[in-house]
Amino acid sequence: MMSAAVAIGGTAVAQDNPQVGGAAMYANRTIVENAVNSKDHTTLVAAVKAAGLVETLSGDGPFTVFAPTNAAFAKLPAGTVDTLVKPENKQMLTGILTYHVVPGTIMAADIAAKVASRGTATYPTVAGGDLTFAKAGSGYTVTDAKGNAANITIADVRQKNGVIHVIDTVLMP
């Protein structure tokens, strides 16, 4: 973990937040303000812009975002991302992206507690539909409606308007 400076009343206060994509993540910035600095999330940022979700994800929230990396998008069949970011596919792209967003702030400890008591944890997404979480080795997986599982690779990246958990696979509604 790296110590990031957080401005409170003009004074910098150290706060632990993991680096993402080689960039410091600041708890006093929005999801979008932090994501644009991650070299591992350029595809996600481009998709968010194409879907017209920048204003939403810059809003008050709180939101929990399961943020796929560039490598996660690269796992999709060739041409998928290029097709999705076309204006005529905006509705489909929006549906996929909002399927990665859960209302509220859900920290890794919340997921772990639910999984420990129930075996799995399920959270509804903004798009509709659920994400299901389970223990996998020393971490957790999130499974989409189609049965595809993503690993949470970096958890609890605090944001001004929620939290990001980095994942290694794009989830599909």
Side-chain angles (χ1 to χ4, degrees):
M1 274 214 218
M2 87 156 280
S3 185
V6 178
I8 297 175
T11 305
V13 178
Q15 181 164 344
D16 290 333
N17 222 5
Q19 275 197 347
V20 176
M25 297 287 115
Y26 297 97
N28 66 335
R29 292 185 183 167
T30 68
I31 290 164
V32 173
E33 289 170 333
N34 275 319
V36 298
N37 294 317
S38 168
K39 67 178 175 34
D40 291 343
H41 289 89
T42 56
T43 304
L44 178 61
V45 169
V48 165
K49 288 177 181 176
L53 293 173
V54 170
E55 187 175 323
T56 300
L57 292 176
S58 296
D60 290 340
F63 306 106
T64 298
V65 176
F66 295 91
T69 61
N70 294 341
F73 280 101
K75 290 184 194 178
L76 295 173
T80 301
V81 174
D82 291 335
T83 300
L84 285 171
V85 296
K86 290 181 178 176
E88 62 267 26
N89 297 320
K90 181 178 180 181
Q91 184 175 355
M92 184 185 310
L93 177 62
T94 301
I96 291 169
L97 293 175
T98 56
Y99 189 71
H100 289 78
V101 181
V102 173
T105 300
I106 307 200
M107 303 302 286
D110 301 322
I111 296 168
K114 267 192 173 180
V115 170
S117 69
R118 301 177 188 167
T120 62
T122 303
Y123 292 96
T125 70
V126 170
D130 294 327
L131 297 175
T132 303
F133 298 81
K135 184 87 171 114
S138 63
Y140 291 86
T141 60
V142 54
T143 303
D144 65 22
K146 296 185 187 263
N148 301 310
N151 295 302
I152 298 174
T153 59
I154 303 173
D156 294 345
V157 186
R158 289 174 306 282
Q159 314 290 302
K160 176 179 171 181
N161 59 345
V163 63
I164 291 174
H165 302 284
V166 177
I167 57 174
D168 65 358
T169 302
V170 176
L171 303 168
M172 293 293 181

